[in-house]
């Protein structure tokens, strides 16, 4: 599964090395998800950082990066440049929905018990002493059990997602659904940042936030009233949410209940 942030960083690094002869480490290239989605799914300030050294205007550098990145990152639907020199990336639906090809093995490769530093358990213990955190954790566990129960029940009724062809799946493609997909796609990035800054609570907060999105997405969904293609789409998204939540809970040795 594509790591969007990593691919953009690699694209910028290759452009700087090959065309501008500017040596920057990949770690120094900042690509982040902006708080305001009007600025895209990802944004970079690289042009602002290197313009002075290149004796060029930041906007000129940003425009050049956009031109080259449109070639290197064809999976990005749109790339824009904003004053004073930010480059913004907008993912198309096809890229967003790629996250739904995720399987349990993908998440275990991103984050598992062996990746958890020993001292994180102590830090998490202090974090979970807060009442709000305990409530959010319980909600997260409930979401996992709820997803497991729904998938199990429908599986017993003959709906097996592994046997459903892509042409039999229809997604709602609402703003909320796409927000969920962006959240799912940010999992590897969240783990990377948390490990770098020694903040295990960020990963748990991510999982809790995913649980809250589940309630927003499905609080009024009547699954049995959905037509089969839409039902398949809703279940596919739910399945991936459950996989990631389970991965986080098990990595921290917290119960991922199948029934509550």
């Amino acid at each position: 599964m594509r790591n969007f942030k990593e691919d953009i960083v690699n694209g910028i690094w290759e452009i700087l090395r090959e065309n501008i002869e500017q040596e920057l480490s990949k770690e120094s290239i900042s690509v982040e998800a902006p708080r305001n989605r009007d600025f895209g799914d990802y944004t970079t300030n690289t042009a602002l950082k290197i313009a002075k050294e290149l004796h060029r205007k930041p906007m000129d550098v940003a425009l050049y990066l956009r031109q080259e990145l449109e070639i290197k990152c064809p999976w990005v639907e749109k790339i824009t440049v904003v004053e004073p020199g930010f480059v913004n990336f907008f993912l198309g639906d096809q890229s967003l929905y790629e996250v739904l090809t995720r399987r349990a093995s993908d998440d275990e490769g991103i984050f598992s018990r062996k990746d958890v530093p020993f001292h994180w358990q102590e830090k998490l213990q202090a974090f979970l002493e807060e009442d709000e955190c305990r409530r959010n954790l319980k909600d997260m566990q409930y979401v996992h059990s709820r997803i497991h129960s729904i998938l199990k029940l429908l599986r017993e009724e003959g709906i097996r997602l592994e046997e459903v062809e892509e042409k039999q799946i229809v997604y709602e493609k609402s703003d909320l659904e796409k927000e969920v997909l962006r959240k799912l796609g940010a999992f590897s990035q969240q783990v990377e940042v948390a490990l770098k800054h020694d903040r295990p609570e960020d990963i748990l907060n991510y999982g809790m936030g995913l649980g809250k999105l589940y309630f927003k997405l499905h609080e009024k969904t009547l699954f049995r009233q959905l037509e089969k293609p839409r039902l398949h789409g809703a279940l596919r998204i739910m399945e991936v949410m459950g996989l990631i939540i389970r991965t986080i809970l098990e990595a921290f040795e917290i119960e991922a209940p199948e029934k509550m």
Side-chain angles (χ1 to χ4, degrees):
M1 187 183 64
R2 173 175 286 126
N3 183 322
F4 300 118
K5 176 183 174 181
E6 186 176 306
D7 283 358
I8 294 171
V9 168
N10 287 338
I12 294 172
W13 181 76
E14 289 172 5
I15 292 166
L16 296 179
R17 185 189 60 176
E18 297 169 3
N19 303 335
I20 304 181
E21 297 183 358
Q22 179 73 15
E23 286 294 334
L24 274 182
S25 66
K26 291 183 181 179
E27 291 73 21
S28 66
I29 298 173
S30 173
V31 174
E32 304 296 340
R35 292 182 180 179
N36 186 341
R37 287 295 174 187
D38 290 342
F39 297 125
D41 295 286
Y42 293 96
T43 187
T44 182
N45 63 352
T46 302
L48 292 164
K49 291 172 66 174
I50 67 174
K52 185 175 181 180
E53 190 172 342
L54 294 174
H55 305 291
R56 296 172 66 179
K57 295 178 180 178
M59 282 296 288
D60 290 341
V61 178
L63 288 167
Y64 178 76
L65 287 176
R66 180 182 70 177
Q67 173 186 308
E68 295 298 314
L69 286 165
E70 285 175 341
I71 298 170
K72 287 191 174 290
C73 302
W75 43 269
V76 176
E77 185 175 76
K78 181 174 68 171
I79 303 176
T80 64
V81 171
V82 178
E83 292 277 6
F86 292 98
V87 182
N88 302 326
F89 304 83
F90 295 79
L91 302 180
D93 285 355
Q94 182 176 350
S95 295
L96 277 178
Y97 282 82
E98 275 185 17
V99 73
L100 299 177
T101 62
R102 171 179 253 123
R103 292 293 179 265
S105 57
D106 297 326
D107 297 318
E108 289 166 2
I110 293 170
F111 188 59
S112 64
R113 192 172 302 175
K114 64 179 174 57
D115 300 309
V116 177
F118 180 76
H119 68 282
W120 271 22
Q121 291 297 346
E122 185 176 342
K123 293 188 74 170
L124 274 181
Q125 197 65 37
F127 176 66
L128 290 172
E129 286 178 1
E130 301 174 19
D131 290 341
E132 183 179 358
C133 293
R134 285 201 298 270
R135 286 194 298 270
N136 288 338
L137 175 60
K138 192 168 184 178
D139 286 345
M140 183 178 167
Q141 291 174 304
Y142 170 77
V143 166
H144 180 270
S145 69
R146 178 69 176 156
I147 290 173
H148 177 83
S149 297
I150 292 172
L151 292 175
K152 181 182 178 183
L153 177 63
L154 292 176
R155 186 179 180 84
E156 290 170 352
E157 294 180 6
I159 299 176
R160 303 172 184 272
L161 288 178
E162 67 271 18
E163 297 174 0
V164 176
E165 298 180 13
E166 287 299 319
K167 63 183 180 181
Q168 297 175 301
I169 300 176
V170 172
Y171 298 105
E172 185 180 7
K173 296 195 174 180
S174 63
D175 289 343
L176 179 56
E177 187 174 272
K178 291 177 183 179
E179 181 183 350
V180 170
L181 296 182
R182 290 188 182 95
K183 185 82 171 177
L184 295 173
F187 179 47
S188 60
Q189 179 183 347
Q190 186 65 69
V191 170
E192 176 188 332
V193 172
L195 287 169
K196 180 179 179 180
H197 296 287
D198 195 30
R199 290 181 56 86
E201 63 271 23
D202 286 355
I203 298 177
L204 207 52
N205 272 327
Y206 167 90
M208 293 172 180
L210 199 55
K212 290 178 180 178
L213 278 177
Y214 169 85
F215 287 120
K216 287 176 66 177
L217 187 64
H218 290 308
E219 63 182 346
K220 296 181 180 178
T221 301
L222 300 175
F223 292 100
R224 294 183 187 282
Q225 293 184 13
L226 294 176
E227 294 184 2
K228 276 288 180 65
R230 273 288 295 115
L231 175 61
H232 295 156
L235 294 179
R236 175 65 62 81
I237 293 173
M238 189 187 305
E239 179 185 47
V240 176
M241 294 177 86
L243 285 173
I244 293 181
I245 288 174
R246 187 186 73 197
T247 296
I248 294 171
L249 292 172
E250 290 183 346
F252 287 132
E253 299 184 27
I254 298 172
E255 182 187 6
E258 296 181 354
K259 186 181 294 186
M260 283 183 73

